[in-house]
Amino acid sequence: MIDVQKIRQDFPILQRQVNGKPLVYFDNAATSQTPQVVINTIVDYYTNYNANIHRGVHSLSQEATDAYELARHKVQTHFNAKHAHEVILTSGTTHSINIVATGFTSLLQKGDEIIVSAMEHHSNIVPWQMLCERTGAVLKVIPMNQEGTLIMEEYDTLLSNKTKLVFVNHVSNALGTINPIREIIKKAHALDAAVLIDGAQASPHIKADVQELDVDFYVVSAHKLCGPTGVGMLYGKESWLNKLPPYQGGGEMIDQVTFEKTTYAGLPHKFEAGTPNICGGIAFGAALDYMNNIGFDAIAAYEAELLEYATQKLLKIDGLKIYGTAQEKTAVISFNIGTIHPYDIGTIVDKLGIAVRTGHHCAQPIMDFYKIPGTVRASFAFYNTKEEIDLMIDALQKAAMMLG
Ligand SMILES: *Cc1c(COP(=O)(O)O)cnc(C)c1O
């Protein structure tokens, strides 16, 4: 089980004060905090073996290369990819999705259909709209109901032999809904359509097994699971990664270059043009080690307790409405109090040391669906406590009194 007080010692930022109050950090769905072991990994890299990788014969370069490739191996093991070269280290989820969406340009034809869900982050919408503009493919949307659950019967009717690709998030960052990705993948595969799962919001809570899911692409950002910003994963099945053209040209991604013709490197380097975020990649590996030491089952069980506790307490606040009440959800709560603007609530609770997110959470279609400008979003991690939730409830009551 989780020893939360011990875990909190691992996160130096949790000791600080904000506006004279102890920090209560409930913006974990936007980015997670960083444990000391990951900070140490970053300091160690720049202190002791900072060098460019893969090209150098000198010792520092070899040390950095070994550490970077070890990190790739850790990512591979964590997500259970069959091959290390199926793990492309990118700058994050957005970059990963753009690699796939751009790569599909040559694989789609006018009139082909691609399917998204109604509860996506903008980074899993816009690159595909751009793909449609380039190819004449048509974007279809799986609708959701008031609870924030996808209407799977509608998915069935959207699927056809025109369907080439389906891309859905594993967990919605705005609502917390855990989507039925197994079923989504299975039904798409029955029609030979490829599936990309945006795992950015699921990865801090659920350990995905890409082989067991039989998913074609799975993408995450390290900064949502205790790692640094600017690094992430594109997992792709070998067969798909071989089919897709490179995304960027440059160093590292080539085999032979002449002015007449260039041949590309094999996987994973074909998709890793230029000097990567070497330190970030190594720190990503350290972050996965840290979280696996705690254990994802323990994390999920503890966060479910926080979610239940916070939900019950929040619902006692007069006029408070929660958006996203799916049966299966992670520890994300989006809400509004009466007609008070979320931004005003966020500003007042910040004065009391409480960090929540306000706005559309990069998911404007969800806000349009509920006909609201945005929500206040509290999102929890395994280092949060019930006492912190109590502090938030007090702060929200104060805000409601001042603004209501
Ligand atoms: C955070 C998030 C993204 C975007 O991740 P970046 O790190 O900004 O690229 C995409 N999808 C979901 C579901 C997210 O939560």
mmCIF file with all atom_site columns, all heavy atoms in Angstrom, residues 4 11 25-26 28-29 32-33 204-205 224 226 299 302-303 306 331 379-385 388:
data_model
loop_
_atom_site.group_PDB
_atom_site.id
_atom_site.type_symbol
_atom_site.label_atom_id
_atom_site.label_alt_id
_atom_site.label_comp_id
_atom_site.label_asym_id
_atom_site.label_entity_id
_atom_site.label_seq_id
_atom_site.pdbx_PDB_ins_code
_atom_site.Cartn_x
_atom_site.Cartn_y
_atom_site.Cartn_z
_atom_site.occupancy
_atom_site.B_iso_or_equiv
_atom_site.pdbx_formal_charge
_atom_site.auth_seq_id
_atom_site.auth_comp_id
_atom_site.auth_asym_id
_atom_site.auth_atom_id
_atom_site.pdbx_PDB_model_num
ATOM 1   N N   . VAL A 1 4   ? 1.892   7.495  2.046   1.00 0.00 ? 4   VAL A N   1
ATOM 2   C CA  . VAL A 1 4   ? 1.902   8.791  1.347   1.00 0.00 ? 4   VAL A CA  1
ATOM 3   C C   . VAL A 1 4   ? 2.862   9.789  2.004   1.00 0.00 ? 4   VAL A C   1
ATOM 4   O O   . VAL A 1 4   ? 3.500   10.582 1.308   1.00 0.00 ? 4   VAL A O   1
ATOM 5   C CB  . VAL A 1 4   ? 0.468   9.358  1.167   1.00 0.00 ? 4   VAL A CB  1
ATOM 6   C CG1 . VAL A 1 4   ? -0.138  9.790  2.475   1.00 0.00 ? 4   VAL A CG1 1
ATOM 7   C CG2 . VAL A 1 4   ? 0.469   10.493 0.159   1.00 0.00 ? 4   VAL A CG2 1
ATOM 8   N N   . PHE A 1 11  ? 9.416   14.363 -3.004  1.00 0.00 ? 11  PHE A N   1
ATOM 9   C CA  . PHE A 1 11  ? 9.087   15.473 -3.910  1.00 0.00 ? 11  PHE A CA  1
ATOM 10  C C   . PHE A 1 11  ? 9.392   16.807 -3.249  1.00 0.00 ? 11  PHE A C   1
ATOM 11  O O   . PHE A 1 11  ? 8.564   17.333 -2.493  1.00 0.00 ? 11  PHE A O   1
ATOM 12  C CB  . PHE A 1 11  ? 7.605   15.421 -4.294  1.00 0.00 ? 11  PHE A CB  1
ATOM 13  C CG  . PHE A 1 11  ? 7.254   14.254 -5.171  1.00 0.00 ? 11  PHE A CG  1
ATOM 14  C CD1 . PHE A 1 11  ? 7.013   13.003 -4.629  1.00 0.00 ? 11  PHE A CD1 1
ATOM 15  C CD2 . PHE A 1 11  ? 7.194   14.399 -6.551  1.00 0.00 ? 11  PHE A CD2 1
ATOM 16  C CE1 . PHE A 1 11  ? 6.713   11.911 -5.431  1.00 0.00 ? 11  PHE A CE1 1
ATOM 17  C CE2 . PHE A 1 11  ? 6.893   13.318 -7.366  1.00 0.00 ? 11  PHE A CE2 1
ATOM 18  C CZ  . PHE A 1 11  ? 6.654   12.063 -6.803  1.00 0.00 ? 11  PHE A CZ  1
ATOM 19  N N   . TYR A 1 25  ? -1.078  20.741 -4.626  1.00 0.00 ? 25  TYR A N   1
ATOM 20  C CA  . TYR A 1 25  ? -0.940  20.638 -6.080  1.00 0.00 ? 25  TYR A CA  1
ATOM 21  C C   . TYR A 1 25  ? -1.931  19.638 -6.654  1.00 0.00 ? 25  TYR A C   1
ATOM 22  O O   . TYR A 1 25  ? -1.743  18.432 -6.554  1.00 0.00 ? 25  TYR A O   1
ATOM 23  C CB  . TYR A 1 25  ? 0.502   20.246 -6.452  1.00 0.00 ? 25  TYR A CB  1
ATOM 24  C CG  . TYR A 1 25  ? 0.721   20.271 -7.949  1.00 0.00 ? 25  TYR A CG  1
ATOM 25  C CD1 . TYR A 1 25  ? 0.874   21.480 -8.623  1.00 0.00 ? 25  TYR A CD1 1
ATOM 26  C CD2 . TYR A 1 25  ? 0.711   19.101 -8.693  1.00 0.00 ? 25  TYR A CD2 1
ATOM 27  C CE1 . TYR A 1 25  ? 1.027   21.526 -10.007 1.00 0.00 ? 25  TYR A CE1 1
ATOM 28  C CE2 . TYR A 1 25  ? 0.866   19.127 -10.072 1.00 0.00 ? 25  TYR A CE2 1
ATOM 29  C CZ  . TYR A 1 25  ? 1.023   20.340 -10.716 1.00 0.00 ? 25  TYR A CZ  1
ATOM 30  O OH  . TYR A 1 25  ? 1.173   20.380 -12.077 1.00 0.00 ? 25  TYR A OH  1
ATOM 31  N N   . PHE A 1 26  ? -2.986  20.189 -7.257  1.00 0.00 ? 26  PHE A N   1
ATOM 32  C CA  . PHE A 1 26  ? -4.040  19.362 -7.857  1.00 0.00 ? 26  PHE A CA  1
ATOM 33  C C   . PHE A 1 26  ? -4.148  19.623 -9.354  1.00 0.00 ? 26  PHE A C   1
ATOM 34  O O   . PHE A 1 26  ? -5.245  19.641 -9.912  1.00 0.00 ? 26  PHE A O   1
ATOM 35  C CB  . PHE A 1 26  ? -5.398  19.655 -7.188  1.00 0.00 ? 26  PHE A CB  1
ATOM 36  C CG  . PHE A 1 26  ? -5.560  19.057 -5.810  1.00 0.00 ? 26  PHE A CG  1
ATOM 37  C CD1 . PHE A 1 26  ? -6.579  19.512 -4.969  1.00 0.00 ? 26  PHE A CD1 1
ATOM 38  C CD2 . PHE A 1 26  ? -4.729  18.045 -5.354  1.00 0.00 ? 26  PHE A CD2 1
ATOM 39  C CE1 . PHE A 1 26  ? -6.748  18.968 -3.706  1.00 0.00 ? 26  PHE A CE1 1
ATOM 40  C CE2 . PHE A 1 26  ? -4.889  17.490 -4.091  1.00 0.00 ? 26  PHE A CE2 1
ATOM 41  C CZ  . PHE A 1 26  ? -5.905  17.954 -3.257  1.00 0.00 ? 26  PHE A CZ  1
ATOM 42  N N   . ASN A 1 28  ? -2.322  17.735 -11.582 1.00 0.00 ? 28  ASN A N   1
ATOM 43  C CA  . ASN A 1 28  ? -1.510  16.620 -12.072 1.00 0.00 ? 28  ASN A CA  1
ATOM 44  C C   . ASN A 1 28  ? -1.871  16.166 -13.474 1.00 0.00 ? 28  ASN A C   1
ATOM 45  O O   . ASN A 1 28  ? -1.050  15.554 -14.151 1.00 0.00 ? 28  ASN A O   1
ATOM 46  C CB  . ASN A 1 28  ? -1.639  15.447 -11.097 1.00 0.00 ? 28  ASN A CB  1
ATOM 47  C CG  . ASN A 1 28  ? -1.038  15.810 -9.753  1.00 0.00 ? 28  ASN A CG  1
ATOM 48  O OD1 . ASN A 1 28  ? 0.172   15.913 -9.633  1.00 0.00 ? 28  ASN A OD1 1
ATOM 49  N ND2 . ASN A 1 28  ? -1.879  16.058 -8.755  1.00 0.00 ? 28  ASN A ND2 1
ATOM 50  N N   . ALA A 1 29  ? -3.097  16.467 -13.925 1.00 0.00 ? 29  ALA A N   1
ATOM 51  C CA  . ALA A 1 29  ? -3.471  16.070 -15.283 1.00 0.00 ? 29  ALA A CA  1
ATOM 52  C C   . ALA A 1 29  ? -2.760  16.950 -16.314 1.00 0.00 ? 29  ALA A C   1
ATOM 53  O O   . ALA A 1 29  ? -2.635  16.569 -17.476 1.00 0.00 ? 29  ALA A O   1
ATOM 54  C CB  . ALA A 1 29  ? -4.981  16.159 -15.471 1.00 0.00 ? 29  ALA A CB  1
ATOM 55  N N   . SER A 1 32  ? 2.818   16.326 -13.937 1.00 0.00 ? 32  SER A N   1
ATOM 56  C CA  . SER A 1 32  ? 3.057   15.765 -12.603 1.00 0.00 ? 32  SER A CA  1
ATOM 57  C C   . SER A 1 32  ? 4.290   16.421 -11.998 1.00 0.00 ? 32  SER A C   1
ATOM 58  O O   . SER A 1 32  ? 5.083   17.052 -12.698 1.00 0.00 ? 32  SER A O   1
ATOM 59  C CB  . SER A 1 32  ? 3.272   14.262 -12.717 1.00 0.00 ? 32  SER A CB  1
ATOM 60  O OG  . SER A 1 32  ? 4.291   13.997 -13.659 1.00 0.00 ? 32  SER A OG  1
ATOM 61  N N   . GLN A 1 33  ? 4.466   16.245 -10.711 1.00 0.00 ? 33  GLN A N   1
ATOM 62  C CA  . GLN A 1 33  ? 5.670   16.752 -10.054 1.00 0.00 ? 33  GLN A CA  1
ATOM 63  C C   . GLN A 1 33  ? 6.803   15.727 -10.164 1.00 0.00 ? 33  GLN A C   1
ATOM 64  O O   . GLN A 1 33  ? 6.579   14.572 -10.543 1.00 0.00 ? 33  GLN A O   1
ATOM 65  C CB  . GLN A 1 33  ? 5.356   17.139 -8.614  1.00 0.00 ? 33  GLN A CB  1
ATOM 66  C CG  . GLN A 1 33  ? 4.458   18.366 -8.529  1.00 0.00 ? 33  GLN A CG  1
ATOM 67  C CD  . GLN A 1 33  ? 5.023   19.591 -9.268  1.00 0.00 ? 33  GLN A CD  1
ATOM 68  O OE1 . GLN A 1 33  ? 6.209   19.648 -9.593  1.00 0.00 ? 33  GLN A OE1 1
ATOM 69  N NE2 . GLN A 1 33  ? 4.164   20.551 -9.556  1.00 0.00 ? 33  GLN A NE2 1
ATOM 70  N N   . PRO A 1 204 ? -0.111  7.839  -16.131 1.00 0.00 ? 204 PRO A N   1
ATOM 71  C CA  . PRO A 1 204 ? 0.230   7.955  -14.703 1.00 0.00 ? 204 PRO A CA  1
ATOM 72  C C   . PRO A 1 204 ? -0.604  7.034  -13.804 1.00 0.00 ? 204 PRO A C   1
ATOM 73  O O   . PRO A 1 204 ? -0.276  6.881  -12.625 1.00 0.00 ? 204 PRO A O   1
ATOM 74  C CB  . PRO A 1 204 ? -0.081  9.417  -14.362 1.00 0.00 ? 204 PRO A CB  1
ATOM 75  C CG  . PRO A 1 204 ? -0.482  10.080 -15.605 1.00 0.00 ? 204 PRO A CG  1
ATOM 76  C CD  . PRO A 1 204 ? -0.757  9.053  -16.637 1.00 0.00 ? 204 PRO A CD  1
ATOM 77  N N   . HIS A 1 205 ? -1.671  6.463  -14.341 1.00 0.00 ? 205 HIS A N   1
ATOM 78  C CA  . HIS A 1 205 ? -2.607  5.708  -13.501 1.00 0.00 ? 205 HIS A CA  1
ATOM 79  C C   . HIS A 1 205 ? -2.704  4.234  -13.887 1.00 0.00 ? 205 HIS A C   1
ATOM 80  O O   . HIS A 1 205 ? -3.006  3.390  -13.057 1.00 0.00 ? 205 HIS A O   1
ATOM 81  C CB  . HIS A 1 205 ? -4.004  6.319  -13.599 1.00 0.00 ? 205 HIS A CB  1
ATOM 82  C CG  . HIS A 1 205 ? -4.029  7.809  -13.491 1.00 0.00 ? 205 HIS A CG  1
ATOM 83  N ND1 . HIS A 1 205 ? -3.797  8.465  -12.293 1.00 0.00 ? 205 HIS A ND1 1
ATOM 84  C CD2 . HIS A 1 205 ? -4.201  8.781  -14.416 1.00 0.00 ? 205 HIS A CD2 1
ATOM 85  C CE1 . HIS A 1 205 ? -3.856  9.771  -12.512 1.00 0.00 ? 205 HIS A CE1 1
ATOM 86  N NE2 . HIS A 1 205 ? -4.093  9.993  -13.778 1.00 0.00 ? 205 HIS A NE2 1
ATOM 87  N N   . LYS A 1 224 ? 3.894   13.678 -17.619 1.00 0.00 ? 224 LYS A N   1
ATOM 88  C CA  . LYS A 1 224 ? 2.678   13.342 -16.878 1.00 0.00 ? 224 LYS A CA  1
ATOM 89  C C   . LYS A 1 224 ? 2.910   12.172 -15.929 1.00 0.00 ? 224 LYS A C   1
ATOM 90  O O   . LYS A 1 224 ? 2.040   11.823 -15.145 1.00 0.00 ? 224 LYS A O   1
ATOM 91  C CB  . LYS A 1 224 ? 1.543   13.017 -17.852 1.00 0.00 ? 224 LYS A CB  1
ATOM 92  C CG  . LYS A 1 224 ? 1.226   14.214 -18.754 1.00 0.00 ? 224 LYS A CG  1
ATOM 93  C CD  . LYS A 1 224 ? -0.226  14.520 -18.871 1.00 0.00 ? 224 LYS A CD  1
ATOM 94  C CE  . LYS A 1 224 ? -0.414  15.854 -19.577 1.00 0.00 ? 224 LYS A CE  1
ATOM 95  N NZ  . LYS A 1 224 ? -1.407  15.812 -20.634 1.00 0.00 ? 224 LYS A NZ  1
ATOM 96  N N   . CYS A 1 226 ? 5.807   11.755 -13.817 1.00 0.00 ? 226 CYS A N   1
ATOM 97  C CA  . CYS A 1 226 ? 6.950   12.050 -12.940 1.00 0.00 ? 226 CYS A CA  1
ATOM 98  C C   . CYS A 1 226 ? 8.265   12.268 -13.681 1.00 0.00 ? 226 CYS A C   1
ATOM 99  O O   . CYS A 1 226 ? 9.328   12.359 -13.059 1.00 0.00 ? 226 CYS A O   1
ATOM 100 C CB  . CYS A 1 226 ? 7.148   10.972 -11.872 1.00 0.00 ? 226 CYS A CB  1
ATOM 101 S SG  . CYS A 1 226 ? 5.781   10.872 -10.728 1.00 0.00 ? 226 CYS A SG  1
ATOM 102 N N   . ILE A 1 299 ? -0.868  2.477  -6.731  1.00 0.00 ? 299 ILE A N   1
ATOM 103 C CA  . ILE A 1 299 ? -1.201  3.849  -7.137  1.00 0.00 ? 299 ILE A CA  1
ATOM 104 C C   . ILE A 1 299 ? -2.680  3.944  -7.489  1.00 0.00 ? 299 ILE A C   1
ATOM 105 O O   . ILE A 1 299 ? -3.400  4.834  -7.017  1.00 0.00 ? 299 ILE A O   1
ATOM 106 C CB  . ILE A 1 299 ? -0.312  4.296  -8.328  1.00 0.00 ? 299 ILE A CB  1
ATOM 107 C CG1 . ILE A 1 299 ? 1.127   4.526  -7.854  1.00 0.00 ? 299 ILE A CG1 1
ATOM 108 C CG2 . ILE A 1 299 ? -0.881  5.540  -9.012  1.00 0.00 ? 299 ILE A CG2 1
ATOM 109 C CD1 . ILE A 1 299 ? 2.135   4.783  -8.969  1.00 0.00 ? 299 ILE A CD1 1
ATOM 110 N N   . TYR A 1 302 ? -4.993  3.656  -4.387  1.00 0.00 ? 302 TYR A N   1
ATOM 111 C CA  . TYR A 1 302 ? -4.946  4.845  -3.538  1.00 0.00 ? 302 TYR A CA  1
ATOM 112 C C   . TYR A 1 302 ? -5.662  6.025  -4.208  1.00 0.00 ? 302 TYR A C   1
ATOM 113 O O   . TYR A 1 302 ? -6.434  6.751  -3.565  1.00 0.00 ? 302 TYR A O   1
ATOM 114 C CB  . TYR A 1 302 ? -3.491  5.201  -3.220  1.00 0.00 ? 302 TYR A CB  1
ATOM 115 C CG  . TYR A 1 302 ? -3.352  6.429  -2.369  1.00 0.00 ? 302 TYR A CG  1
ATOM 116 C CD1 . TYR A 1 302 ? -3.774  6.419  -1.041  1.00 0.00 ? 302 TYR A CD1 1
ATOM 117 C CD2 . TYR A 1 302 ? -2.829  7.606  -2.896  1.00 0.00 ? 302 TYR A CD2 1
ATOM 118 C CE1 . TYR A 1 302 ? -3.667  7.563  -0.256  1.00 0.00 ? 302 TYR A CE1 1
ATOM 119 C CE2 . TYR A 1 302 ? -2.713  8.756  -2.117  1.00 0.00 ? 302 TYR A CE2 1
ATOM 120 C CZ  . TYR A 1 302 ? -3.134  8.723  -0.795  1.00 0.00 ? 302 TYR A CZ  1
ATOM 121 O OH  . TYR A 1 302 ? -3.033  9.845  -0.024  1.00 0.00 ? 302 TYR A OH  1
ATOM 122 N N   . GLU A 1 303 ? -5.430  6.198  -5.496  1.00 0.00 ? 303 GLU A N   1
ATOM 123 C CA  . GLU A 1 303 ? -6.067  7.316  -6.198  1.00 0.00 ? 303 GLU A CA  1
ATOM 124 C C   . GLU A 1 303 ? -7.586  7.141  -6.272  1.00 0.00 ? 303 GLU A C   1
ATOM 125 O O   . GLU A 1 303 ? -8.324  8.137  -6.229  1.00 0.00 ? 303 GLU A O   1
ATOM 126 C CB  . GLU A 1 303 ? -5.479  7.457  -7.606  1.00 0.00 ? 303 GLU A CB  1
ATOM 127 C CG  . GLU A 1 303 ? -4.062  8.005  -7.578  1.00 0.00 ? 303 GLU A CG  1
ATOM 128 C CD  . GLU A 1 303 ? -3.419  8.068  -8.958  1.00 0.00 ? 303 GLU A CD  1
ATOM 129 O OE1 . GLU A 1 303 ? -3.973  7.474  -9.914  1.00 0.00 ? 303 GLU A OE1 1
ATOM 130 O OE2 . GLU A 1 303 ? -2.360  8.694  -9.077  1.00 0.00 ? 303 GLU A OE2 1
ATOM 131 N N   . LEU A 1 306 ? -8.869  8.534  -3.133  1.00 0.00 ? 306 LEU A N   1
ATOM 132 C CA  . LEU A 1 306 ? -8.884  10.005 -3.169  1.00 0.00 ? 306 LEU A CA  1
ATOM 133 C C   . LEU A 1 306 ? -10.052 10.509 -4.012  1.00 0.00 ? 306 LEU A C   1
ATOM 134 O O   . LEU A 1 306 ? -10.734 11.472 -3.644  1.00 0.00 ? 306 LEU A O   1
ATOM 135 C CB  . LEU A 1 306 ? -7.571  10.549 -3.757  1.00 0.00 ? 306 LEU A CB  1
ATOM 136 C CG  . LEU A 1 306 ? -6.292  10.381 -2.941  1.00 0.00 ? 306 LEU A CG  1
ATOM 137 C CD1 . LEU A 1 306 ? -5.112  11.010 -3.687  1.00 0.00 ? 306 LEU A CD1 1
ATOM 138 C CD2 . LEU A 1 306 ? -6.419  11.010 -1.551  1.00 0.00 ? 306 LEU A CD2 1
ATOM 139 N N   . ALA A 1 331 ? -8.585  9.679  -11.331 1.00 0.00 ? 331 ALA A N   1
ATOM 140 C CA  . ALA A 1 331 ? -8.771  10.701 -10.303 1.00 0.00 ? 331 ALA A CA  1
ATOM 141 C C   . ALA A 1 331 ? -8.707  12.124 -10.876 1.00 0.00 ? 331 ALA A C   1
ATOM 142 O O   . ALA A 1 331 ? -7.821  12.912 -10.556 1.00 0.00 ? 331 ALA A O   1
ATOM 143 C CB  . ALA A 1 331 ? -7.750  10.508 -9.193  1.00 0.00 ? 331 ALA A CB  1
ATOM 144 N N   . SER A 1 379 ? -7.122  17.418 -10.242 1.00 0.00 ? 379 SER A N   1
ATOM 145 C CA  . SER A 1 379 ? -6.648  16.088 -10.658 1.00 0.00 ? 379 SER A CA  1
ATOM 146 C C   . SER A 1 379 ? -5.578  15.634 -9.677  1.00 0.00 ? 379 SER A C   1
ATOM 147 O O   . SER A 1 379 ? -4.668  16.386 -9.342  1.00 0.00 ? 379 SER A O   1
ATOM 148 C CB  . SER A 1 379 ? -6.108  16.148 -12.080 1.00 0.00 ? 379 SER A CB  1
ATOM 149 O OG  . SER A 1 379 ? -5.183  17.203 -12.239 1.00 0.00 ? 379 SER A OG  1
ATOM 150 N N   . PHE A 1 380 ? -5.716  14.397 -9.226  1.00 0.00 ? 380 PHE A N   1
ATOM 151 C CA  . PHE A 1 380 ? -4.903  13.913 -8.102  1.00 0.00 ? 380 PHE A CA  1
ATOM 152 C C   . PHE A 1 380 ? -3.821  12.953 -8.555  1.00 0.00 ? 380 PHE A C   1
ATOM 153 O O   . PHE A 1 380 ? -3.966  12.268 -9.569  1.00 0.00 ? 380 PHE A O   1
ATOM 154 C CB  . PHE A 1 380 ? -5.801  13.215 -7.070  1.00 0.00 ? 380 PHE A CB  1
ATOM 155 C CG  . PHE A 1 380 ? -6.998  14.033 -6.676  1.00 0.00 ? 380 PHE A CG  1
ATOM 156 C CD1 . PHE A 1 380 ? -8.287  13.531 -6.826  1.00 0.00 ? 380 PHE A CD1 1
ATOM 157 C CD2 . PHE A 1 380 ? -6.834  15.317 -6.188  1.00 0.00 ? 380 PHE A CD2 1
ATOM 158 C CE1 . PHE A 1 380 ? -9.397  14.299 -6.475  1.00 0.00 ? 380 PHE A CE1 1
ATOM 159 C CE2 . PHE A 1 380 ? -7.939  16.100 -5.836  1.00 0.00 ? 380 PHE A CE2 1
ATOM 160 C CZ  . PHE A 1 380 ? -9.218  15.579 -5.988  1.00 0.00 ? 380 PHE A CZ  1
ATOM 161 N N   . ALA A 1 381 ? -2.773  12.912 -7.750  1.00 0.00 ? 381 ALA A N   1
ATOM 162 C CA  . ALA A 1 381 ? -1.696  11.943 -7.949  1.00 0.00 ? 381 ALA A CA  1
ATOM 163 C C   . ALA A 1 381 ? -1.510  11.171 -6.654  1.00 0.00 ? 381 ALA A C   1
ATOM 164 O O   . ALA A 1 381 ? -2.082  11.528 -5.611  1.00 0.00 ? 381 ALA A O   1
ATOM 165 C CB  . ALA A 1 381 ? -0.403  12.642 -8.343  1.00 0.00 ? 381 ALA A CB  1
ATOM 166 N N   . PHE A 1 382 ? -0.665  10.151 -6.711  1.00 0.00 ? 382 PHE A N   1
ATOM 167 C CA  . PHE A 1 382 ? -0.457  9.259  -5.558  1.00 0.00 ? 382 PHE A CA  1
ATOM 168 C C   . PHE A 1 382 ? 0.231   9.962  -4.397  1.00 0.00 ? 382 PHE A C   1
ATOM 169 O O   . PHE A 1 382 ? 0.289   9.419  -3.314  1.00 0.00 ? 382 PHE A O   1
ATOM 170 C CB  . PHE A 1 382 ? 0.342   8.026  -5.992  1.00 0.00 ? 382 PHE A CB  1
ATOM 171 C CG  . PHE A 1 382 ? 1.666   8.379  -6.604  1.00 0.00 ? 382 PHE A CG  1
ATOM 172 C CD1 . PHE A 1 382 ? 2.808   8.440  -5.834  1.00 0.00 ? 382 PHE A CD1 1
ATOM 173 C CD2 . PHE A 1 382 ? 1.756   8.681  -7.954  1.00 0.00 ? 382 PHE A CD2 1
ATOM 174 C CE1 . PHE A 1 382 ? 4.031   8.801  -6.397  1.00 0.00 ? 382 PHE A CE1 1
ATOM 175 C CE2 . PHE A 1 382 ? 2.972   9.042  -8.528  1.00 0.00 ? 382 PHE A CE2 1
ATOM 176 C CZ  . PHE A 1 382 ? 4.103   9.102  -7.744  1.00 0.00 ? 382 PHE A CZ  1
ATOM 177 N N   . TYR A 1 383 ? 0.763   11.183 -4.614  1.00 0.00 ? 383 TYR A N   1
ATOM 178 C CA  . TYR A 1 383 ? 1.405   11.913 -3.515  1.00 0.00 ? 383 TYR A CA  1
ATOM 179 C C   . TYR A 1 383 ? 0.456   12.922 -2.871  1.00 0.00 ? 383 TYR A C   1
ATOM 180 O O   . TYR A 1 383 ? 0.852   13.676 -1.995  1.00 0.00 ? 383 TYR A O   1
ATOM 181 C CB  . TYR A 1 383 ? 2.706   12.602 -3.981  1.00 0.00 ? 383 TYR A CB  1
ATOM 182 C CG  . TYR A 1 383 ? 2.625   13.285 -5.339  1.00 0.00 ? 383 TYR A CG  1
ATOM 183 C CD1 . TYR A 1 383 ? 1.927   14.480 -5.498  1.00 0.00 ? 383 TYR A CD1 1
ATOM 184 C CD2 . TYR A 1 383 ? 3.246   12.734 -6.446  1.00 0.00 ? 383 TYR A CD2 1
ATOM 185 C CE1 . TYR A 1 383 ? 1.855   15.094 -6.721  1.00 0.00 ? 383 TYR A CE1 1
ATOM 186 C CE2 . TYR A 1 383 ? 3.184   13.348 -7.688  1.00 0.00 ? 383 TYR A CE2 1
ATOM 187 C CZ  . TYR A 1 383 ? 2.493   14.527 -7.828  1.00 0.00 ? 383 TYR A CZ  1
ATOM 188 O OH  . TYR A 1 383 ? 2.415   15.139 -9.055  1.00 0.00 ? 383 TYR A OH  1
ATOM 189 N N   . ASN A 1 384 ? -0.788  12.973 -3.323  1.00 0.00 ? 384 ASN A N   1
ATOM 190 C CA  . ASN A 1 384 ? -1.782  13.857 -2.690  1.00 0.00 ? 384 ASN A CA  1
ATOM 191 C C   . ASN A 1 384 ? -2.440  13.148 -1.507  1.00 0.00 ? 384 ASN A C   1
ATOM 192 O O   . ASN A 1 384 ? -2.372  11.932 -1.379  1.00 0.00 ? 384 ASN A O   1
ATOM 193 C CB  . ASN A 1 384 ? -2.846  14.282 -3.702  1.00 0.00 ? 384 ASN A CB  1
ATOM 194 C CG  . ASN A 1 384 ? -2.297  15.222 -4.760  1.00 0.00 ? 384 ASN A CG  1
ATOM 195 O OD1 . ASN A 1 384 ? -2.476  15.008 -5.953  1.00 0.00 ? 384 ASN A OD1 1
ATOM 196 N ND2 . ASN A 1 384 ? -1.614  16.271 -4.329  1.00 0.00 ? 384 ASN A ND2 1
ATOM 197 N N   . THR A 1 385 ? -3.081  13.972 -0.654  1.00 0.00 ? 385 THR A N   1
ATOM 198 C CA  . THR A 1 385 ? -3.669  13.415 0.567   1.00 0.00 ? 385 THR A CA  1
ATOM 199 C C   . THR A 1 385 ? -5.117  13.891 0.756   1.00 0.00 ? 385 THR A C   1
ATOM 200 O O   . THR A 1 385 ? -5.539  14.880 0.155   1.00 0.00 ? 385 THR A O   1
ATOM 201 C CB  . THR A 1 385 ? -2.885  13.865 1.827   1.00 0.00 ? 385 THR A CB  1
ATOM 202 O OG1 . THR A 1 385 ? -3.035  15.290 1.947   1.00 0.00 ? 385 THR A OG1 1
ATOM 203 C CG2 . THR A 1 385 ? -1.420  13.508 1.735   1.00 0.00 ? 385 THR A CG2 1
ATOM 204 N N   . GLU A 1 388 ? -5.262  17.395 2.051   1.00 0.00 ? 388 GLU A N   1
ATOM 205 C CA  . GLU A 1 388 ? -5.199  18.416 0.997   1.00 0.00 ? 388 GLU A CA  1
ATOM 206 C C   . GLU A 1 388 ? -6.567  18.623 0.365   1.00 0.00 ? 388 GLU A C   1
ATOM 207 O O   . GLU A 1 388 ? -6.940  19.748 0.011   1.00 0.00 ? 388 GLU A O   1
ATOM 208 C CB  . GLU A 1 388 ? -4.188  18.001 -0.082  1.00 0.00 ? 388 GLU A CB  1
ATOM 209 C CG  . GLU A 1 388 ? -2.742  18.052 0.367   1.00 0.00 ? 388 GLU A CG  1
ATOM 210 C CD  . GLU A 1 388 ? -1.803  17.652 -0.770  1.00 0.00 ? 388 GLU A CD  1
ATOM 211 O OE1 . GLU A 1 388 ? -1.970  16.557 -1.339  1.00 0.00 ? 388 GLU A OE1 1
ATOM 212 O OE2 . GLU A 1 388 ? -0.911  18.447 -1.091  1.00 0.00 ? 388 GLU A OE2 1
#
